[in-house]
Amino acid sequence: MTIESSTDVTLIADLHINGRWVAGESGDRFPVIDPASGRSIASFAIASDADCTNAIEAASAVLPSWSSTPPRVRSELLTRTFQILKAEREALAEIIVRENGKAFSDALGEADYATEFFRWFAEEAVRVAGDFRLSPSGDKHILVTHQPIGVSLLITPWNFPAAMATRKIAPALAAGCTVVLKPARETPLTAAYVVDALRRAGAPDGVVNLVTPVPTGPAIARMLHHPAVRKVSFTGSTEVGRILLREAADNVVSASMELGGNAPFIVLPGADIEAAVQGALVAKMRNGGSACTAANRFYVHSSVSAAFTKAVTAELSRFQVGPGIDRENQLGALVSVGERDKVAELVDVAVSEGATVALGGESSAEGAFYSATVLTGVQHGGTITGTEIFGPVTAIVEYDDVDEAVRMANDTIYGLIAYVYGETGQALSVARRIDAGMVAVNRAVLSDPAAPFGGMKQSGLGREGSSEGILEFLEEKYIGIEL
Ligand code: NAD
């Protein structure tokens, strides 16, 4: 089956195996739902075990030729893909909106961010460094080179369906690996669009494959036990990450993990409140709050909390909520009614634990919408400060002592990202004390293909983007040369 986007680009809602779009062995399909309307917008092929094995074997068969393809040639494929997706950013954004529900401006931002990984890793493909030196005893030369790790299984979530895929595919291909992509069931169309862009850019057959097995868990477990698979790169929940680490252990498959977050947003006593409010709106509401980087817990100093809360509430009360496809809406639908109901339940629990709803707290009658919400009087240690909200809920905790704010910020199993607003010197010193892979000081957006993205503690293993991103798909090899 194919669906047409309004920008005249045909999207093929099938599996991609060995350079061809195929309906899959079983012929079974699952629906793709538009969360704004609750209606099915496409049907997508279900991959059987045989389809998944075929995808791995196609990736394995072409690995020797792709890994020995000159880096410049690999780089040029990524550059052409960058150019295609850049020219088609509106079409890509539209598909993201239709299956994910986010606001169009968020989808356009994601399309640009996602596309940029192809340009960044086109540049990195030709810059992989090695080393050559004399051993301390003078008996040999030590040559250190890098070799592609091999067939890589890439598993991505629904919240950034384009960027989470390109952040893995681009470095893998740049490194000389071949890939099998398994997108989230909610958002396979965006993944198919990205894979089709690579096909149109001239990716050799088998270099990029896409499968959508249902149910996912057993199929992925089998794939991780295929001897050709040497890498799993996963973005998703910590819970599923733990399962994959266990599965990967059997064949000692290299694992990169971008997992859940529980980002604190600390407003220090000397903060510029207007800047902190504007930052809070972005850190909280980008992607409707469905981001691993979304500010989850606001720790606001008691000297500024009244002003901060009043201004954030006023701004959010003006947020326009509705289908993401209508470009004036700032807050779209959550990805599904189920995800929306999880958010609503978290708010109910927070209220039962003593929080007050200062704004919002409402689910829509139709579609998976939840209103922009502000909770005040939240106590650290309650359910909502310990849970990744993944929705448009601003939970505000007041504090008196900066050391206590740092302690609360670090009081979590997660360590992905934190935000600190304050006078630069103090904010920097707080940033250094926070156990997170990324800290934003007086700014609300950190993601950048040129910067290392990743978490500490149970938020993950490894880094994506930057020059580190390609190393996740390379192995060091030491060759000793007799003198
Ligand atoms: P999820 O863990 O439920 O699913 C992610 C992917 O794993 C999907 O493709 C899903 O089909 C697959 N999956 C589910 N069960 C599996 C299993 N047993 N074995 C193998 N694969 C399985 O996550 P989600 O709900 O799609 O995404 C939200 C989560 O992703 C949040 O926790 C969020 O913080 C996290 N996330 C992290 C980052 C990051 O970079 N750290 C970025 C985006 C999202």
Side-chain angles (χ1 to χ4, degrees), residues 268 402 406 419-434 439-442:
L268 295 169
V402 172
V406 172
Y419 302 86
V420 185
Y421 273 79
E423 176 274 317
T424 308
Q426 190 186 20
L428 206 51
S429 111
V430 166
R432 290 168 63 94
R433 294 166 61 196
I434 296 202
V439 184
V441 173
N442 290 330

Side-chain angles (χ1 to χ4, degrees), residues 156-159 167 182 234-237 258-260 292 388 453:
T156 52
W158 48 260
N159 64 336
R167 202 163 75 177
K182 205 306 282 177
F234 172 73
T235 298
S237 61
E258 294 289 345
L259 307 177
C292 53
E388 193 176 22
F453 189 105

Side-chain angles (χ1 to χ4, degrees), residues 145-170:
T145 62
H146 288 94
Q147 177 168 312
I149 195 160
V151 173
S152 301
L153 180 55
L154 315 178
I155 306 170
T156 52
W158 48 260
N159 64 336
F160 288 100
M164 298 304 96
T166 62
R167 202 163 75 177
K168 297 181 189 306
I169 297 172

Side-chain angles (χ1 to χ4, degrees), residues 96 100 102-103 106-107 110 158-161 282 284-292 330-331 333 390-391:
I96 294 172
N100 169 281
K102 66 178 74 175
D106 283 335
E110 182 189 348
W158 48 260
N159 64 336
F160 288 100
V282 175
K284 179 72 249 180
M285 299 301 286
R286 195 165 69 99
N287 228 38
S290 297
C292 53
Q330 294 161 283
L331 177 58
F390 245 56

Side-chain angles (χ1 to χ4, degrees), residues 235-248:
T235 298
S237 61
T238 297
E239 192 187 357
V240 173
R242 287 190 197 106
I243 296 172
L244 292 174
L245 284 169
R246 284 189 208 107
E247 296 288 353

